[in-house]
Amino acid sequence: MRDATPEQTPETVHLADYAPVPVTVTHLDVSFQLDPKATRVSSRLTCKRQGPGEMVLNGEGLKTLSVTLDGVPLDADRHTLGDRTLTLHGAPDEFLLETVVEIAPADNKALSGLYMSNGMYCTQCEAEGFRRITWMLDRPDVMATYDVAIDSDLPVLLSNGNERAAGVWHDPWPKPTYLFALVAGDLVATSDSFTTMEGKDVALNVWVRPGDEDRTAYALDALKRSMAWDEEVYGRAYDLSVFNIVAVDDFNMGAMENKGLNVFNSRYVLASPETATDADYANIERIVAHEYFHNWTGNRITCRDWFQLCLKEGLTVFRDEQFSQDQRGYAVQRIGDVMNLRARQFREDAGPLAHPVRPESFVEINNFYTATVYEKGAEVIGMLRTLIGAEAWDQGIALYFERHDGEACTIEDWLAVFEEAAERDLTQFKLWYSQAGTPRVRVTEHFSDGLYRIDLAQSVPPTPGQPDKQPMVIPLAFGLLDREGNESRPTEVRELTTAGDSLTFDLAEKPVLSILRGFSAPVILEFDRPDADRLTLLAHDTDAFCRWEAGRVLAKDRLMRAISEDAEFDAGWLDAVATLAQDDNAEPAFRALALALPSEDDLAQSLHEAGIVPDPERIHLTRRAAQMAVAERLANALPDLRAANATPGAYSPAAEDAGKRALSAGLLKLQTMRDGGAAARRVYDTADNMTDRMAAFACLLDVGDPDVAAQFEADWSHDRLVMDKWFMAQVAHATPVDAVGVAERLTKRADFDPSNPNRFRAVIGGLTAGNPAGFHRADGSGYAFVTDWLLRLDPSNPQTAARMSTAFDSWRRYDADRQALVREQLDRMAAADPSRDLAEMVARMRAA
């Protein structure tokens, strides 16, 4: 890396070093004179001393025009102005600090701070983007009220809070800088209203570019349902007179919960049957809910420091999962959440990027917006509710809102209210926040002379910086079935709190154990048991998760033996899969999940853990062979099954119809393997919704249809979000040998804009996540291609580059040749003078 001044050198920030600011800001008056190249930001900070020390404000890329204290320009000996800090010397107890700076939003390609997206001004301030706007204490424990004035000829001028006049906004609720928002542009709104349980009328607006307003109805409906649900379930009412959502094309994240002005990636707002899939609708519903729920769990109560990020994100993910379960059905939604956790967070825990739910240190906070903080953070909260019970949970969460409204809190504050409500010591439970890694629970059964014993043993594997772990509190929900599949003992929860424990039961015969019901803890079960028991669970278990899990384990066992031993796919397993696929008593969405085989990445990790070096190409071919075997077993039933799950009439994104389309898509994939795409071509040509069209498109790409990609482009080249799907699908469904070439060809197109995160992720993510065998080609071309693009993007958008670099985090599980090829690319990135975002990620992966 190039030589840096001390102020530029990335420093490691430690939780243990937290200290409150000596001088805080209680109110911020800020005005903007918008200009693409020279926006003038005038700020007036009401400051108050709360301890000894100098006031050090944060700034980045600011052209400072003036600094005054109580109306008097500051002399050189009263302040020090650096590239990233403004330090006041000898500040009084109370004062007004005024600064005027100039920034260039049009040149801000990092999409952090104030930037421009196709002529629209937009902000993204989480985590530390506000310092790109003006001088301020840019940290979450400094909470201030805001008055904002926006000067521009643009017709729509938005900020946080309530509008007092055109472009003049007042937010009465104290908030940290990361929740500040400003949007200005040529926008149109789809509007509605909501009356809160307190009788407040709230104006609701979804702002989009002209021409997109016909695709906003579902987001607006999801917002109203979220507001009603939060009142009904948590007693939380909205607290401003307006709630605005804005759709932005260029956005690094999914969405942002800025107080009263949520900014969304367009893909999570815009939807119509012709352009959006069922998955898009479900994501819109969930993300709208997530950002709205932040109004209380993140905004009204925020984080004391960024180490407490899981306090707002884990809790709000837990709440949005509850909402989605209520909207779409508990069983299928829970299985989907577990699949996502295992695919993203378990992988994170198993590699060099493992970290606790509450990290102890970081170099760049943007690198810790991870599955561990979000999804595992949510699972920890779910375990807490399971352990203390619903009644104590309700009491504790109500106490949390009452006690900490308007505060910036810690995990200790959070757990204290539940210790009080449940009258329980949660000291050991707190280890879930400080110990990284996925716990493993080994289950061993014994039955003799009418005594059935379950032996349980837990271990937490070493992770970077944490070689030794203490036993965790693990709630294990279980039930017992008899040999005919009848439930003989209903669900109960036992806590595993030591390295080992046993449960005993007096029974006439050995039961079938159904354990980890509802996925009661984010652990890996190690349980060697007969196939007969798994088949019983697959056919009869009353717990949907354990039923699905039994089928998943059976499938994974067959696939792993086929990969490592060339074993055949046995008739017993194929018959069980066929029986479940045709089980009309099971929800179509559940059957769709049960038909889906374990992913290639899941198989690679399982082989690695079994001491077998995974071969990505062999995994890919074996998985396709298993799909073909299932297709052959169901051959005669496929057309009738698809017909039985048709959804005639007008398209509805409701869960029931979406489940039928999901099952039909899985069946169409199997049918395509037998008919070469004939049925898929008929679906593609007649589809009246994007869900069916994309399912058929994927099938036709799989069989190498020579015309379908051009046909799709001709139909949809005018729609940026639909074309993102087109880009991604072509890479994901290319043969492994062709995948890198397809991705390279797509990046040479005029409409491949790497500055747009959606388009960049479509192509690069289509390879790294969508086509593992292509990414891990033995010649290393996939590794070199991705590295080329990360290095191109990093200077302008380090956040996206760093996040996409996690494609390399599993490199140690592959053969020596692939490891050497990945190491070469990691070394190349490290030597390229990367941003601190990318540098931190590369350093952690190289250290593996």
Side-chain angles (χ1 to χ4, degrees):
M1 294 182 66
R2 60 175 175 262
D3 292 337
T5 66
E7 194 172 49
Q8 294 172 325
T9 303
E11 295 183 359
T12 301
V13 182
H14 297 274
L15 171 60
D17 293 337
Y18 170 82
V21 291
V23 180
T24 193
V25 177
T26 59
H27 182 74
L28 180 61
D29 219 319
V30 58
S31 63
F32 293 81
Q33 293 174 282
L34 296 179
D35 182 274
K37 292 290 188 179
T39 288
R40 181 163 290 200
V41 185
S42 302
S43 302
R44 180 172 174 159
L45 286 64
T46 302
C47 305
K48 183 177 182 179
R49 181 170 293 282
Q50 55 185 18
E54 297 181 326
M55 185 180 193
V56 181
L57 296 97
N58 309 108
E60 186 174 332
L62 308 177
K63 180 180 179 181
T64 303
L65 304 180
S66 68
V67 181
T68 64
L69 192 152
D70 289 333
V72 178
L74 281 179
D75 296 333
D77 61 348
R78 296 285 308 281
H79 76 289
T80 301
L81 181 63
D83 290 339
R84 294 175 180 266
T85 57
L86 170 59
T87 304
L88 303 187
H89 308 300
D93 290 345
E94 295 186 2
F95 58 96
L96 292 177
L97 178 68
E98 297 176 80
T99 65
V100 180
V101 304
E102 193 175 276
I103 56 177
D107 297 336
N108 181 1
K109 304 302 181 183
L111 311 185
S112 173
L114 178 64
Y115 64 93
M116 300 196 73
S117 173
N118 297 324
M120 179 198 306
Y121 291 88
C122 179
T123 57
Q124 170 54 34
C125 292
E126 188 174 0
E128 296 177 338
F130 194 83
R131 62 191 60 190
R132 293 172 175 261
I133 296 174
T134 189
W135 292 108
M136 181 57 179
L137 299 171
D138 191 15
R139 46 188 283 170
D141 60 343
V142 176
M143 302 177 70
T145 54
Y146 281 66
D147 281 295
V148 178
I150 309 168
D151 181 10
S152 172
D153 293 333
L154 290 167
V156 176
L157 308 173
L158 305 174
S159 191
N160 309 90
N162 299 316
E163 191 173 27
R164 290 180 163 176
V168 178
W169 294 81
H170 171 68
D171 189 353
W173 300 102
K175 66 176 180 286
T177 48
Y178 81 86
L179 292 172
F180 171 80
L182 178 153
V183 172
D186 181 10
L187 302 168
V188 293
T190 302
S191 302
D192 204 336
S193 63
F194 183 86
T195 302
T196 72
M197 63 184 186
E198 297 170 343
K200 178 190 289 289
D201 291 328
V202 181
L204 310 179
N205 301 298
V206 178
W207 296 92
V208 297
R209 298 183 185 280
D212 286 338
E213 59 267 33
D214 61 339
R215 293 192 278 172
T216 56
Y218 193 75
L220 192 55
D221 178 65
L223 174 59
K224 294 179 69 174
R225 286 185 281 121
S226 302
M227 296 174 81
W229 185 89
D230 210 18
E231 290 186 345
E232 179 182 351
V233 177
Y234 282 93
R236 299 297 102 193
Y238 187 61
D239 50 13
L240 293 169
S241 61
V242 63
F243 190 95
N244 289 311
I245 288 175
V246 181
V248 179
D249 287 351
D250 301 297
F251 204 67
N252 281 334
M253 300 182 178
M256 180 60 209
E257 70 267 19
N258 318 296
K259 183 73 177 181
L261 176 55
N262 285 189
V263 179
F264 273 64
N265 189 315
S266 297
R267 66 180 295 193
Y268 297 121
V269 172
L270 303 180
S272 68
E274 297 79 18
T275 62
T277 64
D278 291 332
D280 292 328
Y281 276 98
N283 281 330
I284 289 169
E285 178 181 78
R286 184 167 183 167
I287 294 173
V288 166
H290 179 95
E291 306 308 333
Y292 175 75
F293 296 156
H294 265 311
N295 187 60
W296 276 92
T297 51
N299 297 6
R300 289 281 288 261
I301 306 176
T302 193
C303 305
R304 186 196 71 177
D305 52 71
W306 288 121
F307 296 100
Q308 320 296 328
L309 182 60
C310 60
L311 180 63
K312 76 180 186 76
E313 293 301 348
L315 176 55
T316 306
V317 169
F318 174 75
R319 284 170 16 94
D320 80 49
E321 288 178 351
Q322 286 184 301
F323 171 77
S324 294
Q325 290 162 6
D326 285 350
Q327 300 295 305
R328 294 181 170 266
Y330 171 80
V332 170
Q333 194 65 39
R334 182 59 179 149
I335 292 169
D337 292 339
V338 174
M339 291 174 66
N340 180 53
L341 180 83
R342 286 172 166 170
R344 298 177 63 239
Q345 198 282 319
F346 277 23
R347 170 176 168 149
E348 199 166 81
D349 256 352
L353 302 181
H355 63 87
V357 173
R358 181 170 68 178
E360 296 292 324
S361 65
F362 61 77
V363 172
E364 174 50 64
I365 183 54
N366 287 318
N367 288 336
F368 283 89
Y369 282 74
T370 63
T372 296
V373 167
Y374 281 65
E375 279 75 25
K376 187 173 181 178
E379 292 296 323
V380 171
I381 289 168
M383 281 192 294
L384 175 62
R385 187 177 188 274
T386 298
L387 288 167
I388 67 175
E391 183 177 352
W393 162 263
D394 290 343
Q395 293 172 358
I397 194 72
L399 182 59
Y400 177 67
F401 290 131
E402 175 186 347
R403 180 175 293 173
H404 297 295
D405 186 13
E407 296 182 0
C409 295
T410 65
I411 293 301
E412 286 73 19
D413 296 325
W414 163 255
L415 292 177
V417 299
F418 292 99
E419 288 187 318
E420 185 174 329
E423 298 182 345
R424 171 172 175 157
D425 184 351
L426 295 174
T427 301
Q428 186 183 12
F429 180 78
K430 187 181 172 184
L431 291 172
W432 280 101
Y433 287 100
S434 60
Q435 291 193 160
T438 304
R440 293 175 175 268
V441 176
R442 172 158 288 280
V443 181
T444 309
E445 297 178 292
H446 306 273
F447 182 77
S448 178
D449 298 327
L451 186 67
Y452 175 62
R453 190 178 83 242
I454 307 167
D455 291 337
L456 304 169
Q458 67 158 300
S459 61
V460 187
T463 52
Q466 292 187 340
D468 301 310
K469 308 293 176 68
Q470 300 178 51
M472 310 280 266
V473 179
I474 300 175
L476 293 171
F478 73 96
L480 302 178
L481 280 66
D482 64 24
R483 307 312 298 181
E484 287 72 44
N486 302 304
E487 189 165 74
S488 59
R489 190 180 184 99
T491 301
E492 59 183 285
V493 177
R494 296 289 181 94
E495 296 179 26
L496 179 60
T497 59
T498 59
D501 201 356
S502 296
L503 309 176
T504 57
F505 307 90
D506 293 320
L507 299 170
E509 63 175 2
K510 182 179 180 296
V512 177
L513 174 62
S514 170
I515 191 167
L516 203 63
R517 285 187 159 182
F519 197 67
S520 58
V523 301
I524 294 173
L525 277 186
E526 298 175 344
F527 190 3
D528 299 325
R529 66 191 319 180
D531 278 356
D533 284 9
R534 300 197 190 281
L535 289 168
T536 297
L537 295 171
L538 180 61
H540 301 292
D541 202 336
T542 56
D543 182 82
F545 169 78
C546 283
R547 186 182 184 194
W548 169 80
E549 179 76 337
R552 172 183 169 273
V553 173
L554 285 166
K556 182 182 284 191
D557 176 70
R558 269 64 183 174
L559 283 158
M560 289 179 64
R561 285 196 283 117
I563 292 166
S564 61
E565 305 169 13
D566 288 322
E568 299 290 332
F569 300 114
D570 59 279
W573 172 61
L574 293 171
D575 287 346
V577 173
T579 298
L580 181 55
Q582 299 171 87
D583 182 1
D584 292 335
N585 293 319
E587 290 181 73
F590 176 83
R591 291 151 67 188
L593 290 171
L595 270 178
L597 297 175
S599 70
E600 292 178 29
D601 189 73
D602 186 3
L603 291 166
Q605 182 62 27
S606 296
L607 288 164
H608 171 68
E609 291 173 356
I612 302 167
V613 178
D615 179 342
E617 177 70 11
R618 183 168 177 80
I619 291 171
H620 175 77
L621 293 174
T622 303
R623 192 170 179 275
R624 285 191 62 81
Q627 290 172 327
M628 178 60 82
V630 174
E632 294 291 346
R633 176 61 183 80
L634 281 167
N636 296 329
L638 287 172
D640 289 341
L641 280 173
R642 285 187 52 236
N645 286 280
T647 53
Y651 171 88
S652 168
E656 182 177 357
D657 279 6
K660 290 181 178 180
R661 282 189 291 271
L663 178 56
S664 183
L667 297 169
L668 181 65
K669 185 177 183 68
L670 297 176
Q671 194 168 350
T672 299
M673 300 189 81
R674 300 192 70 256
D675 70 7
R681 171 49 70 176
R682 290 191 295 273
V683 172
Y684 186 87
D685 290 340
T686 61
D688 64 355
N689 64 81
M690 187 54 70
T691 304
D692 290 342
R693 182 170 286 109
M694 282 303 300
F697 183 52
C699 289
L700 293 172
L701 289 173
D702 282 339
V703 296
D705 185 293
D707 303 316
V708 71
Q711 182 181 350
F712 193 109
E713 180 184 9
D715 291 340
W716 292 104
S717 60
H718 63 281
D719 191 295
R720 61 201 184 278
L721 296 180
V722 175
M723 285 300 288
D724 287 337
K725 304 179 196 299
W726 180 83
F727 273 88
M728 177 172 279
Q730 288 183 87
V731 182
H733 291 276
T735 63
V737 71
D738 293 330
V740 174
V742 171
E744 287 178 333
R745 173 175 56 80
L746 291 172
T747 62
K748 291 179 170 63
R749 289 173 55 98
D751 55 352
F752 175 75
D753 179 6
S755 68
N756 177 267
N758 288 348
R759 189 59 50 89
F760 186 85
R761 286 188 287 254
V763 175
I764 308 304
L767 178 65
T768 59
N771 201 322
F775 175 57
H776 291 289
R777 272 188 57 173
D779 64 0
S781 58
Y783 306 146
F785 170 78
V786 171
T787 299
D788 287 344
W789 277 104
L790 293 179
L791 291 176
R792 288 190 203 184
L793 184 66
D794 184 51
S796 59
N797 191 337
Q799 284 188 35
T800 297
R803 287 171 186 169
M804 296 299 290
S805 74
T806 59
F808 293 104
D809 68 354
S810 61
W811 67 291
R812 283 296 193 187
R813 69 189 180 195
Y814 294 103
D815 57 86
D817 289 342
R818 284 186 172 88
Q819 288 189 34
L821 290 167
V822 174
R823 183 68 191 221
E824 179 183 344
Q825 299 305 323
L826 292 174
D827 290 346
R828 183 177 152 214
M829 285 188 275
D833 194 15
S835 67
R836 68 178 185 179
D837 302 61
L838 184 58
E840 180 182 23
M841 300 299 278
V842 169
R844 291 164 67 193
M845 289 186 283
R846 290 174 79 208

